Amino acid sequence: MSQLLLQPGPADGIDTWMDGEDTGVNYGTNDILRIGAGYEYHASGAQHALLRFDASALIGSVIESATLTLYCKSVLSDGHVYQDYQNPPYDYYHTITCYRCPKPWTELGATWDEYDGTNAWSVPDAGGDYDSSIAAVCEDIYGLVNLTFDIKAHVEDAITNRTGELSLICVITGNDGGFGIPEWRHD
């Protein structure tokens, strides 16, 4: 059995995050990814992460398993960065879902409002488009934890239908209480 490890570093990784509060700002040169549900009682401060991988080397292969791991760096909560893995600054759980992103977003163009710096996402003020038919879920996430998604279906779809392009959007789909914004490293 062969294994392919795709671990793009900061120089060659294709990723960014989008902020529902700063809707026109691009974070493509940032070295973190943020995923957050927004502030309590409204979603204007939500953050969604976009990632893209080239899985074309797997075309024609049988996929036995595939995982995506995001390594937790810190949690931004109430304006402070917390890095204490034993005592997170909040006591709520949340669910993060990773979907296929159908738009041809660009790392240096994607914002909350536009997928390439010029063209709007299909759903206004939603912070990205996603295909809900393929989803990988991390449930009951609490505090500063690394995330591991089972993305076998995503990879199979990419090598069968998309010439190997694996384009993902990660969003909080459960209530996070609105205060903690986990940051994950992509390097």
Side-chain angles (χ1 to χ4, degrees):
M1 171 175 49
S2 297
Q3 180 179 11
L4 176 64
L5 177 63
L6 299 174
Q7 188 174 5
D12 56 357
I14 301 173
D15 55 36
T16 189
W17 58 280
M18 305 170 295
D19 192 325
E21 200 165 58
D22 293 321
T23 61
V25 178
N26 171 267
Y27 296 96
T29 59
N30 212 299
D31 67 349
I32 54 136
L33 295 172
R34 286 188 177 172
I35 305 168
Y39 301 109
E40 194 169 20
Y41 309 120
H42 62 87
S44 67
Q47 286 129 356
H48 300 165
L50 291 166
L51 301 98
R52 184 177 307 122
F53 300 94
D54 178 5
S56 61
L58 298 173
I59 292 175
S61 301
V62 174
I63 306 302
E64 293 182 14
S65 67
T67 58
L68 168 68
T69 302
L70 299 176
Y71 299 96
C72 192
K73 178 183 177 187
S74 62
V75 169
L76 176 65
S77 182
D78 199 25
H80 299 92
V81 174
Y82 294 87
Q83 294 180 323
D84 183 345
Y85 288 81
Q86 303 303 315
N87 298 300
Y90 47 85
D91 61 358
Y92 48 83
Y93 295 87
H94 51 270
T95 299
I96 297 177
T97 304
C98 185
Y99 299 104
R100 182 180 75 82
C101 183
K103 291 289 188 190
W105 59 272
T106 60
E107 184 176 40
L108 299 178
T111 67
W112 189 264
D113 294 331
E114 299 171 342
Y115 61 86
D116 61 359
T118 304
N119 297 293
W121 295 102
S122 297
V123 179
D125 200 34
D129 296 345
Y130 59 87
D131 177 355
S132 62
S133 69
I134 303 176
V137 179
C138 283
E139 295 183 283
D140 297 331
I141 305 301
Y142 174 73
L144 297 154
V145 297
N146 296 333
L147 301 178
T148 300
F149 297 92
D150 176 356
I151 60 167
K152 179 183 177 197
H154 289 81
V155 173
E156 289 173 332
D157 174 70
I159 65 173
T160 302
N161 303 316
R162 308 192 196 292
T163 64
E165 182 177 284
L166 179 60
S167 182
L168 307 170
I169 183 169
C170 299
V171 302
I172 287 186
T173 51
N175 181 13
D176 78 340
F179 295 104
I181 301 169
E183 298 178 334
W184 285 277
R185 291 192 315 251
H186 55 78
D187 54 359

